[in-house]
C-alpha cells in the first residue's frame, strides 16, 4: 500500500497507550504497529526534476509541430493528455519532444518534474520491458526498491497511485516515453490522471493509444535542412568559414541526405571533420556514393543504416519479404497491383503488409490513394537488403511478374482508350475511359522505368541466353500496348523511347515484321510531335502539311483546330482559311489530303461538342475515302459518324445509307482506331477536362 503519513505529529495512541508515528515522506508497503515506534523516512531524491535530457542547441525548423506540442502541454489544454510523435528513423522525433519539453519546464508548467524513459523498443539487445520501465519510474519518484512490486500490473497501479497523489497536490508531471515500439509498451505507463501530460515517440503510428493525438513527423523542409547543415558546422567550429558557403552546395548535400535530420547531422559532422573538403566536394562524394548508405555513417552509434536496420529487424518474416521485394520496383510509386505482382501475395495479404510497413514508417503513402513510396534513403536500405537476402532468381522473377502485370494492365487501358470491346479474360478491367486515362497518367514513369530497368537487367544476364530471351520476350510484349497508350495521351517522347527499345529487341529476335511495325509507329510518334508543335503555333501553317501521310496529317489538323476551338480563338477568318485549305486540296485533286482534313475537322468539332458539324465533316470524309477505295479511311469516317450521331441523339441517322458498314468497321476497327488514337481518347469526356500535360 501507499500512504502519505506524518502530518499528524501527535501520532496515534490506542487504548493500551501504544503510539506510532511515521513521518517525512511516502511509505509503500505494509505498516507494522508496535509499542512506541517512531520512524522518520529518508527524504526522497528529486530525481524526477532531473529526468529531462538536455535540449539540442542547434535544433532547427518544425515551427508548426513545436507550436502544437506547446499548446498541448500547457495548463489551459482541455484536450488530449497524450501525444504520440511518429516517423521514420532519424526524422527527429526525440529532438522535437525534448525541445517542447524544455519550453514547458521553463514556463513552470510541471512543478512535479519530468520523467523520461527510453524503451529502446527497436533494439533487441537493449529493449526495456514495460515492467522494467515502471520500476525505474517509481524509483525516480522516490519509491524505494523494497516497495516496488515485482509484477507489471501491480507496478502500474502503484505508479498511477503515486502520480494521482502528486496531481492532488497540484504537482503536474510530464512523462516522456521514448522509442516505444508498440502500443503494448505504452499502455502500462500511462497516468490515470489527466492533469499530467505524456509525450510518446515511436517509429510506428500508435493509433491504438487511447485518446492520443498523433503527430506524424515528416522530413525537413529544404530551407530548414540547409540551415541545419550550417548550424552544425558552426557549432563544431565557429571559425569555420565553410558554413557561409554558397547555398546551392548545401542544397545538394541536403537533397542527397533526403532532408532526413539524422543524415544531415552525420553529413555535417563528416564535413566538419575534414577541413580540406569543401561543401561542393562533399556533395560530389555523396553523389558518387549514391545507392550506398555507408557514406552516411560515423560509427555504429551514428549511422543511417544502423537506425534503419533496427526498424527492419522488428518486422515479421512476411512483412520483411514484402519490404525487400517492393524495393525491386524501379519506379517512383508502387500500386497495390504492382505489390501483388512483385510478391505473389493476394490483395488482402498485401494490403495488411503495406499497412504494417506504413505504420512502421518504412514506406510512405503515395501521391494517390492505393500507392506507396519509399523515402530516398530508405529505398537505398531496402535495395541493399533485397540484394543481400534475396537470390538472383528471386530478383529477376519479381521483375518479370511486374512486367507481365503492366503488360496486362496496358492492354486493358489500350482497349478502353481505343473503344475496343472488352474481352472475357482475367486481366484487370477499367470501368471507364477516364479510369484508363488516369491509370496511364499515374503509371507513366513506372512504365518507363520498368521498361528501362528490364533492359539493363537483360544486358546483365547476357551470359544466360535463356534469361536474356525471357527479358526480351516480356519487354517486347510490354512495349506494344504501353507505346500505344502513350501515343493516345500525347506522350510522344515517351512512346518514342519505348519503341526504340522494341526495335532493338526485334532485331535480336530477327522479327522483321515487328521491327517494321515498331519503326512505323516510331516514325509516326516523332512526326506527330513535330506536327503538334508546328500546328499549334498558327492554324494557317497546317496548309503546308498536306504532303504527310493521312493519319498524321489528320491528327495534326484535329489537334491544332481543337486548341483554337477550345480557347475560343477561331475567328471567321480562321474558318475561311480552313475552307480555303480544303478547296486547295480539291483543286489539286489530292483526295487523300481531303479525307485527312475532313476527318480531322470532324474529330475536332466532336471534341468541341458541335456534333452536327462533326457528322457532316465525317460524311464528306467517308465519301472521299469510298471514292478512292480506302477501306481504312471509310472505317475511320464511319466510326466518327456513329460516335457523333450517338452523342447528338441522332441514333437512327447513323450509317443508315451504308448496309455493309458494320462489316467494314469490324474488319478495319483496330487499324483505324490506332491511326486516330489521340482523337478517340477523349470522345466521351470532353477535351478541356482531359487535355494531357506533364504533371
Amino acid at each position: 500500500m501507499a500512504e502519505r503519513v506524518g502530518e499528524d505529529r501527535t501520532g496515534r495512541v490506542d487504548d493500551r497507550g501504544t503510539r506510532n508515528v511515521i513521518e517525512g515522506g511516502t511509505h509503500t508497503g505494509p505498516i507494522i504497529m508496535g509499542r512506541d515506534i517512531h520512524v522518520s523516512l529518508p527524504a526522497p531524491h528529486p530525481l524526477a526534476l532531473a529526468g529531462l535530457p538536455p535540449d539540442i542547441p542547434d535544433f532547427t525548423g518544425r515551427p508548426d509541430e513545436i507550436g502544437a506540442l506547446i499548446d498541448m502541454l500547457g495548463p489551459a489544454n482541455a484536450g488530449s493528455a497524450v501525444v504520440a510523435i511518429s516517423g521514420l528513423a532519424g526524422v527527429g522525433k526525440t529532438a522535437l519532444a525534448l525541445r517542447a519539453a524544455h519550453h514547458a519546464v521553463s514556463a513552470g508548467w510541471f512543478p512535479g518534474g519530468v520523467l523520461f524513459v527510453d524503451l529502446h523498443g527497436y533494439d533487441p539487445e537493449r529493449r526495456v520491458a514495460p515492467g522494467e520501465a515502471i520500476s525505474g519510474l517509481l524509483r525516480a519518484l522516490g519509491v524505494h526498491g523494497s516497495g516496488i512490486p515485482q509484477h507489471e500490473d501491480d507496478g502500474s497501479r502503484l505508479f498511477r497511485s503515486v502520480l494521482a497523489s502528486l496531481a492532488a497536490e497540484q504537482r503536474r508531471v510530464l512523462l516522456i516515453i521514448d522509442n516505444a515500439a508498440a502500443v503494448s509498451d505504452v499502455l502500462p505507463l500511462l497516468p490515470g490522471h489527466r492533469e499530467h501530460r505524456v509525450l510518446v515517440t515511436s517509429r510506428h503510428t500508435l493509433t491504438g493509444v487511447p485518446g492520443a493525438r498523433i503527430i506524424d513527423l515528416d522530413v525537413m523542409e529544404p530551407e530548414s535542412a540547409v540551415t541545419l547543415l550550417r548550424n552544425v558546422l558552426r557549432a563544431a567550429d565557429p571559425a569555420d568559414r565553410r558554413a557561409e558557403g554558397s547555398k546551392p552546395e548545401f542544397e545538394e548535400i541536403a537533397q542527397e541526405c533526403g532532408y532526413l535530420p539524422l543524415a544531415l547531422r552525420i553529413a555535417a559532422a563528416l564535413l566538419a571533420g575534414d577541413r580540406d573538403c569543401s561543401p561542393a566536394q562533399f556533395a560530389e562524394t555523396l553523389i558518387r556514393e549514391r545507392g550506398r548508405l555507408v557514406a552516411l555513417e560515423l560509427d555504429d552509434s551514428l549511422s543511417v543504416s544502423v537506425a534503419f536496420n533496427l526498424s527492419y529487424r522488428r518486422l515479421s518474416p512476411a512483412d520483411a519479404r514484402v519490404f525487400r521485394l517492393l524495393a525491386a520496383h524501379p519506379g517512383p510509386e508502387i500500386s497495390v497491383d504492382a505489390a501483388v505482382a512483385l510478391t505473389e501475395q493476394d490483395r488482402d495479404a498485401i494490403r495488411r503488409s503495406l499497412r504494417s510497413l506504413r505504420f512502421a514508417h518504412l514506406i510512405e503513402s503515395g501521391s494517390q490513394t492505393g500507392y506507396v513510396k519509399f523515402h530516398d534513403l530508405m529505398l537505398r536500405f531496402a535495395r541493399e537488403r533485397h540484394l543481400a537476402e534475396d537470390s538472383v532468381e528471386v530478383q529477376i522473377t519479381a521483375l518479370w511478374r511486374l512486367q507481365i502485370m503492366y503488360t496486362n494492365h496496358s492492354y486493358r487501358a489500350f482497349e478502353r482508350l481505343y473503344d475496343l470491346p472488352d474481352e472475357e479474360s482475367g486481366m484487370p478491367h477499367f470501368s471507364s475511359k477516364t479510369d484508363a486515362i488516369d491509370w496511364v497518367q499515374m503509371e507513366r514513369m513506372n512504365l518507363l522505368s520498368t521498361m528501362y530497368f528490364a533492359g539493363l537487367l537483360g544486358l546483365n544476364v547476357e551470359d544466360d541466353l535463356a534469361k536474356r530471351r525471357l527479358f526480351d520476350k516480356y519487354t517486347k510484349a510490354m512495349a506494344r500496348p504501353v507505346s500505344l497508350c502513350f501515343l493516345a495521351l500525347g506522350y510522344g517522347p515517351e512512346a518514342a523511347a519505348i519503341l526504340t527499345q522494341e526495335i532493338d529487341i526485334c532485331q535480336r529476335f530477327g522479327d522483321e515484321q515487328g521491327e517494321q511495325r515498331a519503326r512505323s509507329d516510331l516514325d509516326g510518334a516523332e512526326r506527330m510531335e513535330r506536327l503538334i508543335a508546328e500546328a499549334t503555333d498558327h492554324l494557317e501553317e497546317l496548309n503546308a502539311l498536306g504532303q504527310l501521310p493521312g493519319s498524321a496529317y489528320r491528327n495534326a489538323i484535329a489537334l491544332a483546330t481543337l486548341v483554337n476551338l477550345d480557347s475560343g480563338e477561331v475567328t471567321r477568318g480562321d474558318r475561311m482559311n480552313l475552307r480555303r485549305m480544303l478547296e486547295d486540296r480539291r483543286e489539286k485533286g489530292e483526295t487523300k489530303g481531303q479525307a485527312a482534313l475532313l476527318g480531322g475537322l470532324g474529330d475536332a468539332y466532336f471534341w468541341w461538342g458541335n456534333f452536327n458539324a462533326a457528322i457532316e465533316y465525317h460524311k464528306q470524309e467517308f465519301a472521299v475515302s469510298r471514292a478512292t477505295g480506302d477501306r481504312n479511311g471509310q472505317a475511320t469516317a464511319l466510326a466518327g459518324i456513329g460516335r457523333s450521331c450517338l452523342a447528338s441523339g441522332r441514333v437512327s441517322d447513323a450509317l443508315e445509307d451504308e448496309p455493309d458498314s458494320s462489316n467494314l468497321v469490324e474488319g478495319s476497327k483496330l487499324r483505324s482506331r490506332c491511326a486516330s488514337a489521340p482523337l478517340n481518347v477523349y470522345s466521351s469526356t470532353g477535351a478541356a477536362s482531359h487535355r494531357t500535360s506533364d504533371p
Side-chain angles (χ1 to χ4, degrees):
M1 61 181 290
E3 183 177 342
R4 172 71 63 179
V5 296
E7 296 179 0
D8 183 358
R9 294 287 179 167
T10 62
R12 292 187 180 185
V13 182
D14 62 14
D15 294 339
R16 295 171 297 177
T18 301
R19 186 171 183 229
N20 291 271
V21 177
I22 303 176
E23 63 182 4
T26 300
H27 174 72
T28 57
I31 298 176
I32 302 174
M33 302 294 289
R35 174 72 181 180
D36 298 332
I37 294 177
H38 186 104
V39 178
S40 294
L41 297 174
H45 300 290
L47 297 180
L49 295 177
L52 183 60
D55 192 11
I56 298 176
D58 51 18
F59 183 91
T60 306
R62 313 287 196 194
D64 294 339
E65 292 87 350
I66 287 291
L69 286 177
I70 289 174
D71 289 343
M72 192 282 303
L73 296 176
N77 172 43
S80 176
V82 182
V83 174
I85 306 170
S86 59
L88 177 69
V91 81
K93 302 178 292 293
T94 302
L96 176 68
L98 292 180
R99 172 53 59 103
H102 275 278
H103 178 95
V105 170
S106 299
W109 294 344
F110 295 100
V114 179
L115 296 169
F116 181 92
V117 57
D118 188 346
L119 297 181
H120 298 287
Y122 297 90
D123 188 341
E125 298 176 0
R126 302 171 62 194
R127 185 176 182 274
V128 178
E132 297 177 68
I134 289 170
S135 297
L137 293 171
L138 287 171
R139 282 192 292 270
L141 286 168
V143 178
H144 295 275
S146 60
I148 297 176
Q150 294 185 355
H151 296 291
E152 179 182 306
D153 290 344
D154 295 334
S156 183
R157 282 191 292 270
L158 177 58
F159 177 60
R160 292 190 178 101
S161 297
V162 175
L163 290 180
S165 67
L166 292 173
E169 297 173 0
Q170 302 299 310
R171 297 173 63 188
R172 300 173 78 236
V173 171
L174 172 60
L175 172 61
I176 302 177
I177 305 172
D178 196 28
N179 280 314
V183 173
S184 58
D185 293 339
V186 176
L187 295 182
L189 307 180
L190 295 180
H193 201 288
R194 287 182 51 81
E195 188 70 14
H196 304 298
R197 296 288 184 265
V198 183
L199 295 179
V200 183
T201 71
S202 177
R203 299 180 189 184
H204 284 74
T205 302
L206 302 179
T207 54
V209 176
R213 176 174 177 179
I214 305 296
I215 294 181
D216 269 333
L217 203 57
D218 202 352
V219 295
M220 302 185 74
E221 295 294 330
E223 190 75 23
S224 296
V226 169
T227 301
L228 178 59
L229 288 169
R230 295 184 190 272
N231 289 346
V232 174
L233 268 184
R234 292 191 189 100
D237 183 0
D240 191 343
R241 303 301 301 171
R242 292 178 300 171
E244 312 303 325
S246 67
K247 187 177 180 181
E249 297 170 351
F250 286 100
E251 288 175 335
E252 193 75 42
I253 296 173
Q255 183 176 355
E256 289 301 314
C257 291
Y259 308 110
L260 185 71
L262 174 61
L264 292 165
R265 290 186 177 279
I266 292 173
L270 290 169
L271 185 58
D274 187 356
R275 297 300 300 269
D276 295 329
C277 182
S278 70
Q281 291 170 331
F282 187 74
E284 291 175 3
T285 299
L286 292 179
I287 293 172
R288 284 198 305 271
E289 294 287 346
R290 185 178 295 164
R292 299 177 64 239
L293 290 177
V294 68
L296 289 171
E297 64 179 37
L298 287 174
D299 51 43
D300 286 349
S301 63
L302 199 58
S303 164
V304 172
S305 182
V306 170
F308 288 173
N309 194 48
L310 291 176
S311 295
Y312 172 70
R313 288 163 62 186
R314 278 194 59 84
L315 295 175
S316 68
D319 289 346
R321 176 179 177 273
V322 172
F323 175 75
R324 296 193 306 271
L325 288 175
L326 289 179
H329 193 288
E333 297 194 9
I334 308 165
S335 68
V336 172
D337 290 330
V340 168
L342 289 166
T343 64
E344 290 187 294
Q345 292 192 12
D346 62 66
R347 293 180 70 85
D348 290 339
I350 203 65
R351 286 184 187 278
R352 287 193 296 270
S353 288
L354 294 179
R355 182 169 60 249
S356 296
L357 293 173
R358 278 199 306 270
F359 278 17
H361 289 90
L362 292 171
I363 60 174
E364 307 169 4
S365 296
S367 59
Q368 299 289 332
T369 301
Y371 286 80
V372 298
K373 62 182 180 180
F374 283 98
H375 179 271
D376 289 347
L377 298 183
M378 186 61 76
L379 177 58
R380 299 182 198 179
F381 173 78
R383 284 179 174 164
E384 287 179 1
R385 301 318 322 145
H386 177 50
L387 295 175
E389 299 183 36
D390 295 321
S391 67
V392 174
E393 292 295 328
V394 169
Q395 298 169 30
I396 290 176
T397 54
L399 184 62
W400 285 343
R401 291 193 301 269
L402 185 68
Q403 286 186 280
I404 293 170
M405 183 277 295
Y406 277 137
T407 300
N408 292 340
H409 277 58
S410 298
Y411 266 117
R412 274 307 179 107
F414 161 78
E415 289 176 346
R416 184 61 68 184
L417 294 175
Y418 287 84
D419 291 325
L420 298 178
D422 295 334
E423 296 178 1
E424 293 297 328
S425 70
M427 290 189 290
H429 176 73
F430 293 97
S431 59
S432 68
K433 188 173 294 186
T434 300
D435 288 343
I437 292 171
D438 291 343
W439 183 83
V440 175
Q441 290 178 331
M442 184 63 197
E443 294 284 357
R444 179 171 56 132
M445 292 307 300
N446 288 334
L447 294 168
L448 282 169
S449 299
T450 300
M451 289 286 296
Y452 176 74
F453 191 63
L456 289 181
L457 276 185
L459 293 175
N460 288 334
V461 295
E462 282 191 332
D463 294 339
D464 191 326
L465 183 59
K467 285 190 176 68
R468 178 58 188 268
R469 290 189 68 84
L470 277 175
F471 266 117
D472 284 348
K473 173 185 175 181
Y474 292 136
T475 305
K476 180 173 178 288
M478 182 178 170
R480 183 62 178 166
V482 171
S483 61
L484 288 173
C485 288
F486 281 175
L487 286 172
L489 268 67
Y491 296 144
E494 290 90 339
I498 289 177
L499 290 167
T500 300
Q501 191 173 353
E502 182 183 5
I503 290 169
D504 292 339
I505 296 172
C506 288
Q507 289 175 341
R508 285 197 295 272
F509 268 89
D511 182 0
E512 295 182 1
Q513 184 177 2
E515 180 183 352
Q516 183 179 6
R517 183 184 61 191
R519 286 191 181 279
S520 176
D521 289 344
L522 176 61
D523 184 60
E526 293 174 343
R527 185 182 294 117
M528 179 64 67
E529 285 300 300
R530 294 194 300 269
L531 289 175
I532 293 173
E534 294 170 1
T536 52
D537 286 341
H538 199 285
L539 190 58
E540 291 183 1
E541 295 180 7
L542 291 173
N543 197 33
L545 304 179
Q547 301 304 315
L548 295 170
S551 62
Y553 176 48
R554 168 201 179 97
N555 287 339
I557 293 285
L559 287 167
T561 305
L562 176 68
V563 169
N564 290 277
L565 288 171
D566 192 53
S567 63
E569 295 176 358
V570 174
T571 64
R572 187 171 182 273
D574 291 326
R575 290 193 292 272
M576 292 299 295
N577 287 336
L578 291 172
R579 293 192 184 99
R580 281 198 298 269
M581 291 166 61
L582 184 57
E583 291 303 319
D584 287 343
R585 297 294 178 274
R586 288 170 174 166
E587 290 176 4
K588 295 176 182 178
E590 296 177 359
T591 54
K592 190 172 184 179
Q594 291 181 42
L597 177 58
L598 291 164
L601 290 171
D603 287 323
Y605 274 96
F606 176 86
W607 274 359
W608 194 38
N610 190 338
F611 304 121
N612 291 330
I615 292 169
E616 295 308 314
Y617 279 117
H618 284 309
K619 283 185 175 181
Q620 294 179 53
E621 177 193 12
F622 179 80
V624 172
S625 297
R626 184 170 56 180
T628 60
D630 183 358
R631 290 177 62 82
N632 287 331
Q634 294 174 64
T636 302
L638 289 170
I641 294 170
R643 184 173 61 241
S644 301
C645 286
L646 290 172
S648 65
R650 293 168 54 182
V651 179
S652 61
D653 293 344
L655 313 178
E656 60 182 4
D657 297 327
E658 303 299 334
D660 64 337
S661 60
S662 59
N663 294 330
L664 180 65
V665 173
E666 187 65 29
S668 304
K669 182 183 295 179
L670 179 59
R671 186 171 179 183
S672 66
R673 282 178 175 158
C674 287
S676 59
L679 311 180
N680 291 342
V681 172
Y682 304 100
S683 62
S684 64
T685 55
S689 60
H690 288 287
R691 176 128 348 107
T692 57
S693 61
D694 289 339

